[in-house]
Amino acid sequence: MGLLSKKDSKLILDPLADNNPITIQVLGICSALAITAQLKPSIVMAISVIFVLGVGNVVISLMRNIIPSKIRIIVQLIVVATLVIIVDQVLKAFAYTLSKELSVFIGLIITNCIIMGRFEAFALGNGPWKSFLDGIGNALGYGVILIIVGFFRELFGSGTLFGLKVLGDSVEKTGLYAIGYENNGFMVLPPMALIVVGIIIWVQRSKNKALIEEN
Amino acid sequence: MEHVELFFKSVFVDNMVFAYFLGMCSYLAVSKKVSTAVGLGAAVIFVLTVTVPLNWLLDQYILQEGALSWLGAEYADYDLSFLSFILFIATIATMVQLVEIVVERFSPSLYNSLGIFLPLIAVNCAILGGSLFMQSREIETFGLALNYGFSSGIGWFLAILAIAAIREKIRYSNVPAPLRGLGITFIITGLMAIGFMSFGGMLTGGDEAAETPEGGSAQVETLSEETSKELAQNETQEVSEITPK
């Protein structure tokens, strides 16, 4: 990365793996699980969070010296809520069916703990450019997990990716279905989201032993 | 009748944690001990019971399309529903602050047990989620909104109580190292969610068929306690079957 110094690129790359907001910091899980039955809503959600967290971090970082610390939570909530309203209105205007599908979960970005967590932990103490990178990095780390979960759930649950039938047609028995493959309908149901994330955590921690927790 | 149905639906079928994953962050972070889990659960019930009806009033009389008509005919065209996020979250943050102050003034002992958890609750997705679901499902009366807030709170309480009990037990079992802590909690929650899915058929009988005795609420209390115990036992069994691998 020629544009960024080593320290800056660390801000973006760290949250992608070793300091991932979902699997390590345990933040922002609510929305991560509910909308990942398909790949497309997962990507839309990831982009929305990247926008909200990137911009929000800059705004908070610019205001960090004038926010009285006693009411900072309310100020932060108002900033996030405003950004989320923008996202919501844009989605309603340009992708109405998708925004119906995501229903309340766009609104729940407001209480996504990643956002409040990054505001508190980073934006309140650092300059705008660094905060922007940190916001983008953490939102990307969140997005990566969302996309992995969405990918597996859609592939195994409905045999499609972005709605394209990559494994063949389950009704006409083409492709993999011709040799007796069946969709695992369970993957589409909510409980499997939790188990898939559990398995991601398992894989990640098996690779990097330093992350293992006490019981 | 309507009320009983809504109660069961929100506690079991549409359980905040197991069906919609709301409030997962605090659910995972504060479920290491039963006693703290009970404190947070009680605070969530309380705040949901207060904020959902309050936001219902806001929604009915300010935000909905045509809701401002009580001000006069010329206001009848306004549709302020795009403001609902910001108003709902402001109500919640204010109520949490207010509740904290009132509880501290009038019941110091309750404040000491809830105190640390109250500020956390402002950013608990379950609270905002309750209000947003109330809005999107178009709950009709104030009473039903109150009921919805209370029963969703109970559902959340039940979930965190069950997972905390299981996590206390699991400390003594030999979980594979990479799964320890967070990983196994996710998987257990998934298994519990599968268990809760079986409640899905509970309300399909329709209004006439749904039989409920007179002492509805008392019945519910015992029922929920029993099921959570049963659940806890089942889960620990299941888990111990899985873990040796």
Side-chain angles (χ1 to χ4, degrees):
Chain A
M1 286 208 190
L3 255 174
L4 304 169
S5 69
K6 213 172 186 182
K7 225 172 153 190
D8 285 349
S9 62
K10 202 168 148 28
L11 281 177
I12 286 199
L13 295 178
D14 243 17
L16 286 181
D18 287 347
N19 199 13
N20 190 284
I22 292 186
T23 59
I24 310 297
Q25 304 173 31
V26 208
L27 297 173
I29 303 192
C30 330
S31 52
L33 299 169
I35 43 88
T36 47
Q38 311 245 288
L39 197 50
K40 205 167 152 196
S42 321
I43 290 178
V44 172
M45 190 70 176
I47 295 172
S48 315
V49 171
I50 291 174
F51 168 76
V52 173
L53 191 50
V55 178
N57 245 358
V58 172
V59 173
I60 292 290
S61 158
L62 288 172
M63 299 202 304
R64 68 184 189 279
N65 294 326
I66 53 169
I67 302 175
S69 72
K70 270 195 173 169
I71 59 156
R72 67 179 193 284
I73 302 256
I74 292 184
V75 174
Q76 286 163 5
L77 283 175
I78 300 292
V79 170
V80 191
T82 317
L83 290 167
V84 171
I85 288 176
I86 296 173
V87 170
D88 186 47
Q89 296 292 314
V90 168
L91 277 181
K92 271 188 184 149
F94 296 106
Y96 189 73
T97 46
L98 205 61
S99 98
K100 276 279 163 237
E101 213 171 299
L102 290 168
S103 69
V104 301
F105 291 99
I106 288 291
L108 287 173
I109 297 178
I110 300 174
T111 46
N112 190 323
C113 335
I114 293 181
I115 294 177
M116 295 298 282
R118 288 335 286 173
F119 284 1
E120 282 284 299
F122 201 90
L124 279 177
N126 288 283
W129 174 236
K130 271 190 171 171
S131 302
F132 177 71
L133 292 176
D134 178 78
I136 297 286
N138 275 282
L140 278 175
Y142 169 87
V144 164
I145 300 289
L146 237 65
I147 289 167
I148 295 176
V149 177
F151 176 82
F152 283 112
R153 283 183 74 193
E154 187 173 353
L155 185 65
F156 292 128
S158 12
T160 57
L161 285 176
F162 293 111
L164 295 172
K165 292 171 179 159
V166 287
L167 297 182
D169 197 308
S170 56
V171 184
E172 290 163 15
K173 302 283 174 206
T174 56
L176 264 183
Y177 297 99
I179 53 168
Y181 176 81
E182 287 292 335
N183 282 331
N184 181 359
F186 212 57
M187 291 297 275
V188 186
L189 298 173
M192 278 315 284
L194 288 158
I195 294 177
V196 171
V197 175
I199 293 170
I200 292 176
I201 293 174
W202 192 357
V203 172
Q204 191 185 15
R205 293 187 186 184
S206 314
K207 282 192 169 165
N208 189 345
K209 302 274 187 227
L211 300 172
I212 292 173
E213 289 177 65
E214 284 296 303
N215 215 353
Chain B
M1 206 58 217
E2 234 179 338
H3 279 275
V4 179
E5 204 179 318
L6 182 71
F7 183 89
F8 278 102
K9 198 166 181 302
S10 339
V11 173
F12 294 110
V13 184
D14 287 342
N15 187 291
M16 282 272 184
V17 174
F18 297 129
Y20 297 105
F21 312 112
L22 296 181
M24 280 304 271
C25 311
S26 25
Y27 168 87
L28 291 168
V30 195
S31 59
K32 281 190 179 132
K33 274 171 66 189
V34 172
S35 53
T36 46
V38 169
L40 184 69
V44 166
I45 295 181
F46 192 63
V47 176
L48 263 174
T49 319
V50 175
T51 54
V52 171
L54 210 67
N55 281 333
W56 184 85
L57 287 177
L58 272 179
D59 190 43
Q60 288 292 308
Y61 294 107
I62 296 179
L63 294 171
Q64 268 181 11
E65 195 174 355
L68 285 172
S69 52
W70 56 274
L71 274 178
E74 68 269 34
Y75 294 101
D77 301 337
Y78 285 90
D79 179 7
L80 295 179
S81 51
F82 69 94
L83 281 177
S84 43
F85 293 155
I86 214 163
L87 262 175
F88 283 179
I89 198 71
T91 319
I92 289 166
T94 326
M95 277 316 297
V96 169
Q97 282 283 310
L98 210 67
V99 165
E100 201 183 345
I101 295 168
V102 170
V103 171
E104 189 180 15
R105 170 76 181 74
F106 291 105
S107 169
S109 63
L110 182 65
Y111 178 78
N112 284 334
S113 53
L114 290 187
I116 359 159
F117 300 118
L118 275 172
L120 272 179
I121 282 178
V123 286
N124 187 327
C125 337
I127 310 290
L128 183 64
S131 292
L132 290 175
F133 274 126
M134 175 272 299
Q135 191 192 31
S136 71
R137 287 178 193 164
E138 292 165 2
I139 287 181
E140 278 157 23
T141 63
F142 184 77
L144 282 175
L146 188 71
N147 183 343
Y148 179 69
F150 179 68
S151 43
S152 322
I154 300 264
W156 201 88
F157 179 81
L158 208 64
I160 196 168
L161 192 63
I163 192 75
I166 294 171
R167 284 183 83 174
E168 276 198 0
K169 290 280 179 207
I170 220 168
R171 217 167 293 150
Y172 305 109
S173 33
N174 186 17
V175 182
L179 267 182
R180 268 176 209 156
L182 193 58
I184 197 72
T185 315
F186 265 107
I187 291 177
I188 296 169
T189 312
L191 295 174
M192 284 164 76
I194 294 171
F196 265 68
M197 276 171 60
S198 58
F199 288 117
M202 200 167 66
L203 293 173
T204 45
D207 282 18
E208 297 82 22
E211 287 171 21
T212 29
E214 307 300 310
S217 59
Q219 196 94 10
V220 171
E221 291 291 324
T222 50
L223 185 88
S224 57
E225 266 175 37
E226 272 169 26
T227 43
S228 72
K229 266 181 209 156
E230 260 176 41
L231 246 168
Q233 280 171 0
N234 287 345
E235 296 316 335
T236 37
Q237 273 174 8
E238 272 173 355
V239 168
S240 59
E241 278 167 24
I242 294 167
T243 41
K245 189 198 160 200

